[in-house]
C-alpha cells in the first residue's frame, strides 16, 4: 500500500487535473467537463506516483521504477530517469522544483528537473521508501517499511536524523505549516516528531491496524483515517482526539483538506463524505461510486476530485457532494489523482 502523503503546491498555472491509473497512463482532464485533454504514453502498469512542481510540470512514477517528466501542454515525455528497480510511487517536489523519488529498493534519489539525472542517492533504508514529504524549507522526510522516519539533507541526501522504530510501514507522512512532522504506521498510532531531532513529541492512542492516511489543515490540525473506517481530528499540541467521525465502513484511506479546512474522506465502499472540521459531523455523502474511493484531491476553489476502482474520475461540488462530471473509464483503479494545487494519495 502507498502512503497517503498529501502535498500542497500552488503553481503558477491555472487549475489542472491529472489522473494516473492501473493501465500505466496519465491523463490530463479538463476541470470544466472532465474531458481528456491528453493521454500520456503507456508506461507499463500502475501510474500511481504523481506530483506537480511549482512550474506546473508533471512527474509520474509507475510500477517499472522509472520516473518521467511530462509536458503539461501535451503530455509528451520530456525525459525518463534511470531504472530504480520497481514501484517508484513515492514522489515529491520541493519548493525549488527538485524531484525526489522513493522506490521499492528502500533508496531515495534527488533528480535534476532539467534532465532527470540523479543528483544524489541516499543510503539504503532497507525496503519500500514510499512515504515521502518535503517541508517548506525543502528538507526531505522518508518513511519506510522498517517503521522509521529519516530526515534527509536536500543538498547531499545525508541522513540528518533517524527516528525510533515505530513498528513497520511508516508510510503515512505529513508536515504541518510550522514544519512539524507527523507519521502514521501500523497499530493505528500517530506520532508528532520534532523536525530538528526526530524525537517523539507525542504519541496518539492506538486507533486501529493501520494509520496511513494523514492530512494537516491550514491551521495545523491533524486528521487521520484508519483501516476500520473512522476519521479522527487530533490536537497538534497534545495528540489528544478532538473528535471521532462515525464509522464509514472500511478503509478510510482517501483523505484531503480543502483551502477552507473542510475534510473529505473516501472509503472502500465507494462513497466520499465531507466532514465539518469543528465537529466531525458528516455534511454530505456522495453517490455510491462502486468501490474504493481512495484517490482524492482538491483544487483552489474547493472542488473535490475522486478516482475509484472503476477507473473513472468524478468532480464533486463542495456545497452538496453532487457529481459535476464523470470522466470516461480509464481501465481500472484511477487512484493517482493530482491537481496542480493539491496532490492526494489514496493507495
Amino acid at each position: 500500500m502507498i502512503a497517503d502523503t498529501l502535498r500542497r503546491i500552488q503553481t503558477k498555472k491555472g487549475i489542472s487535473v491529472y489522473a494516473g491509473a492501473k493501465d500505466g497512463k496519465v491523463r490530463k482532464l479538463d476541470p470544466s467537463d472532465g474531458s481528456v485533454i491528453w493521454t500520456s504514453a503507456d508506461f507499463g502498469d500502475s501510474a500511481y506516483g504523481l506530483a506537480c512542481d511549482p512550474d506546473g510540470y508533471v512527474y509520474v512514477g509507475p510500477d517499472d521504477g522509472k520516473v518521467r517528466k511530462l509536458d503539461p501542454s501535451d503530455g509528451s515525455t520530456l525525459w525518463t530517469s534511470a531504472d530504480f528497480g520497481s514501484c517508484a510511487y513515492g514522489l515529491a517536489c520541493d519548493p525549488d522544483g527538485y524531484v525526489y523519488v522513493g522506490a521499492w529498493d528502500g533508496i531515495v534519489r534527488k533528480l535534476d528537473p532539467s534532465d532527470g539525472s540523479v543528483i544524489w542517492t541516499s543510503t539504503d533504508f532497507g525496503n519500500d521508501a514510499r512515504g515521502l514529504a518535503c517541508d517548506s524549507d525543502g528538507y526531505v522526510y522518508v518513511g519506510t517499511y522498517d517503521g522509521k522516519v529519516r530526515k534527509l539533507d536536500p543538498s547531499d541526501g545525508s541522513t540528518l536524523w533517524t527516528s525510533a522504530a515505530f513498528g513497520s510501514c511508516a508510510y503515512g507522512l505529513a508536515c504541518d505549516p510550522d514544519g512539524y512532522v507527523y507519521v502514521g504506521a501500523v497499530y493505528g498510532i500517530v506520532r508528532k516528531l520534532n523536525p530538528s531531532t526526530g524525537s517523539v513529541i507525542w504519541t496518539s492512542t492506538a486507533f486501529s491496524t493501520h494509520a496511513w492516511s494523514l492530512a494537516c489543515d491550514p491551521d495545523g490540525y491533524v486528521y487521520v483515517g484508519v483501516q476500520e473506517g473512522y476519521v479522527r481530528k487530533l490536537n497538534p499540541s497534545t495528540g489528544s482526539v478532538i473528535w471521532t467521525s462515525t464509522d464509514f465502513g472500511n478503509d478510510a484511506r482517501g483523505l484531503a483538506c480543502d483551502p477552507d479546512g473542510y475534510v473529505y474522506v473516501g472509503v472502500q465502499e465507494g462513497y466520499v463524505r465531507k466532514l465539518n472540521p469543528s465537529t466531525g459531523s458528516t455534511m454530505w455523502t456522495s453517490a455510491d461510486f462502486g468501490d474504493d474511493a481512495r484517490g482524492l484531491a482538491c483544487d483552489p476553489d474547493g472542488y473535490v476530485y475522486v478516482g475509484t476502482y472503476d477507473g473513472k474520475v468524478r468532480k464533486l461540488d463542495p456545497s452538496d457532494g453532487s457529481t459535476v462530471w464523470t470522466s470516461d473509464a480509464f481501465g481500472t483503479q484511477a487512484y493517482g489523482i493530482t491537481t496542480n494545487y493539491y496532490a492526494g494519495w489514496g493507495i
Side-chain angles (χ1 to χ4, degrees):
M1 295 301 176
I2 299 177
D4 201 349
T5 304
L6 304 178
R7 307 173 297 280
R8 183 174 307 184
I9 300 175
Q10 181 67 59
T11 74
K12 303 171 185 175
K13 312 293 182 180
I15 298 171
S16 299
V17 182
Y18 300 95
K22 176 69 175 173
D23 67 359
K25 299 176 184 177
V26 177
R27 279 94 173 173
K28 182 177 183 178
L29 307 182
D30 188 322
S32 67
D33 62 9
S35 59
V36 176
I37 297 174
W38 53 249
T39 300
S40 73
D42 184 348
F43 301 134
D45 191 40
S46 302
Y48 297 150
L50 284 182
C52 291
D53 70 16
D55 291 320
Y57 288 98
V58 187
Y59 300 88
V60 54
D63 186 69
D64 69 358
K66 300 175 184 178
V67 177
R68 281 86 171 178
K69 180 178 183 178
L70 307 184
D71 189 319
S73 66
D74 61 9
S76 59
T77 302
L78 299 176
W79 51 249
T80 300
S81 75
D83 184 349
F84 303 137
S86 65
C87 304
Y89 298 153
L91 279 184
C93 295
D94 70 16
D96 295 322
Y98 288 98
V99 186
Y100 301 88
V101 54
W104 181 259
D105 64 2
I107 297 173
V108 178
R109 281 100 172 169
K110 180 178 183 177
L111 306 185
D112 188 320
S114 66
D115 61 8
S117 60
V118 176
I119 297 174
W120 53 247
T121 299
S122 74
T123 55
D124 184 348
F125 301 135
N127 198 10
D128 223 355
R130 61 177 73 184
L132 277 187
C134 293
D135 66 19
S136 57
D137 294 321
Y139 287 99
V140 185
Y141 300 88
V142 54
T144 53
Y145 180 80
D146 66 1
K148 299 177 182 178
V149 177
R150 280 91 171 176
K151 181 178 182 177
L152 307 184
D153 189 318
S155 66
D156 61 8
S158 59
T159 302
L160 299 176
W161 51 250
T162 300
S163 74
F166 303 136
S168 65
C169 305
Y171 299 151
L173 280 184
C175 296
D176 71 14
D178 295 321
Y180 288 98
V181 184
Y182 300 88
V183 55
V186 295
Y187 311 123
I189 298 173
V190 178
R191 281 121 172 147
K192 180 178 183 178
L193 306 185
N194 185 317
S196 299
T197 64
S199 60
V200 176
I201 296 174
W202 52 249
T203 300
S204 74
T205 55
F207 298 134
S208 84
T209 307
H210 300 299
W212 292 345
S213 302
L214 288 182
C216 294
D217 70 15
D219 295 320
Y221 288 98
V222 186
Y223 300 88
V224 54
V226 296
Q227 189 170 18
E228 277 67 21
Y230 295 92
V231 177
R232 279 131 175 137
K233 181 178 183 178
L234 306 185
N235 185 317
S237 299
T238 65
S240 59
V241 177
I242 296 174
W243 52 250
T244 299
S245 73
T246 55
D247 183 352
F248 299 136
N250 196 22
D251 263 5
R253 194 166 299 180
L255 200 62
C257 296
D258 72 13
D260 294 321
Y262 289 101
V263 186
Y264 301 89
V265 55
V267 296
Q268 185 174 352
E269 284 72 16
Y271 296 94
V272 177
R273 275 104 172 169
K274 180 177 182 177
L275 306 185
N276 185 316
S278 299
T279 64
S281 60
T282 300
M283 302 180 69
W284 51 249
T285 299
S286 73
D288 182 352
F289 300 137
D291 195 18
D292 273 0
R294 58 176 73 183
L296 282 185
C298 298
D299 70 21
D301 296 323
Y303 286 94
V304 186
Y305 302 87
V306 54
T308 53
Y309 182 84
D310 65 3
K312 298 178 182 179
V313 178
R314 279 96 172 174
K315 180 178 182 177
L316 307 184
D317 189 315
S319 67
D320 60 8
S322 59
T323 302
V324 178
W325 51 250
T326 301
S327 75
D328 294 333
F330 306 136
T332 62
Q333 302 175 37
Y335 297 154
I337 302 295
T338 297
T339 68
N340 59 339
Y341 168 76
Y342 201 97
W345 273 112
I347 301 228

